Amino acid sequence: MSSSKDLHDAYFGEQHITTIEPPTGWRMLDFREIWAYRELFWVLASRDVKVRYRQTVLGAAKLLLETGVHPGSLKDMVSSPGGTSITGVAALEEGGIRTTFITAVERATLRSRELGRGPA
């Protein structure tokens, strides 16, 4: 009875080398293949967005903790006048985001206290 190594050597030979190379030239997009893997694309793209979002939030929090500077002063330090960041912050403030955050924290605090009291 032959071993699997003997069968492999008999079929491929002793010095079998597999080479993988990229295709040459232009290749048209296969939209059927893209459609088939659409969920994978969505997962990878959303994962990338989540990682970038988390890193942004963590970086801002670390900057606040390490410097001890007021958040408004940090905003002024990292935003250029008339730039894209400050324009976005202005739009958030016009929409009342500061008030919304304060209200959200207050409500969560009250609910936490209610839940901490236990059943009546």
Side-chain angles (χ1 to χ4, degrees):
M1 179 174 253
S2 302
S3 71
S4 61
K5 182 173 177 6
D6 293 336
L7 288 173
H8 181 272
D9 291 344
Y11 184 74
F12 292 112
E14 293 283 332
Q15 298 295 325
H16 176 71
I17 298 174
T18 302
T19 305
I20 301 173
E21 296 178 349
T24 58
W26 290 93
R27 182 173 169 221
M28 294 299 295
L29 288 175
D30 183 3
F31 290 106
R32 288 176 295 174
E33 187 175 9
I34 290 172
W35 184 254
Y37 291 104
R38 66 188 179 276
E39 292 177 7
L40 176 63
F41 291 138
W42 175 255
V43 167
L44 295 176
S46 63
R47 185 180 65 177
D48 188 47
V49 168
K50 289 175 187 175
V51 167
R52 289 173 192 264
Y53 176 76
R54 288 179 186 142
Q55 288 298 319
T56 301
V57 171
L58 289 174
K62 185 176 178 184
L63 185 64
L64 282 169
L65 292 173
E66 288 180 353
T67 62
V69 178
H70 187 273
S73 298
L74 284 174
K75 174 190 70 170
D76 295 337
M77 289 168 44
V78 300
S79 301
S80 54
T84 57
S85 296
I86 199 66
T87 303
V89 169
L92 290 170
E93 289 177 353
E94 287 171 9
I97 191 140
R98 185 177 301 185
T99 305
T100 303
F101 275 125
I102 291 170
T103 304
V105 170
E106 287 174 347
R107 287 186 188 172
T109 302
L110 290 174
R111 183 65 180 146
S112 175
R113 288 182 185 150
E114 290 172 0
L115 293 173
R117 288 189 209 126

